[in-house]
Amino acid sequence: MSDKDESEFLWLDDIRPGMRIALPDTDCAAARVEAYAEMFDAKHPIHVDEAFAKTTKFGTRIAHGPLPMAASLATLGEIFGTALIVMTRVGSWDFYGAVPAGASVPTEAFVIGITRGGGGRTAEVTLEMRLTDASGALLQRGEVGLLLRARPKD
């Protein structure tokens, strides 16, 4: 989790439909790409062999598609902290462009739905996640559901 104070997190009370949530850039460092390849035995040369990758249309090694997705989802804990009870689902996720190994990818989320429950103290919040390149071109887009709690009452 984060070193933030509880008051610095976003709570259910702070969330509104249509709201944009700035997220930390998604880190696709070369070391992460290599660790992912090892962990999942996903060693296609486009990910692990720079000489091979230079012969492709990308001209360099690229991150595995699910790596930026997972890394971006992991940053949600930094934003919501203990307001985040659980991730309820990952919906459709589309891949539009390759992420170069070593890239740090701008990432943001938009609140596209709130379904209240738990006596108004919890709700499932649906976010649309967007990962872009430095020029703003869309690389990945997907949906995630989070069960969030309201700010604790003093």
Side-chain angles (χ1 to χ4, degrees), residues 7-138:
S7 65
E8 297 179 71
F9 297 128
L10 280 179
W11 295 83
L12 177 58
D13 323 66
D14 304 318
I15 305 299
R16 302 287 176 264
M19 177 179 178
R20 178 190 175 274
I21 301 170
L23 299 174
D25 286 356
T26 298
D27 180 7
C28 295
R32 277 191 165 188
V33 173
E34 292 157 13
Y36 188 98
E38 284 298 319
M39 182 182 300
F40 295 105
D41 196 25
K43 298 177 184 171
H44 187 284
I46 193 68
H47 307 299
V48 299
D49 182 343
E50 189 63 41
F52 172 83
K54 284 182 180 184
T55 69
T56 70
K57 71 178 186 175
F58 305 111
T60 190
R61 293 184 309 131
I62 61 172
H64 303 73
L67 173 60
M69 179 178 99
S72 68
L73 294 175
T75 68
L76 295 172
E78 296 176 41
I79 302 301
F80 296 107
T82 55
L84 175 57
I85 299 169
V86 68
M87 186 178 299
T88 58
R89 64 188 171 78
V90 175
S92 64
W93 203 279
D94 297 308
F95 303 87
Y96 301 102
V99 177
S104 186
V105 181
T107 306
E108 60 188 351
F110 294 87
V111 178
I112 59 173
I114 301 174
T115 305
R116 300 279 174 185
R121 302 297 302 155
T122 63
E124 182 181 36
V125 175
T126 302
L127 301 177
E128 179 182 278
M129 306 282 290
R130 295 181 190 170
L131 289 76
T132 61
D133 66 15
S135 73
L138 191 60

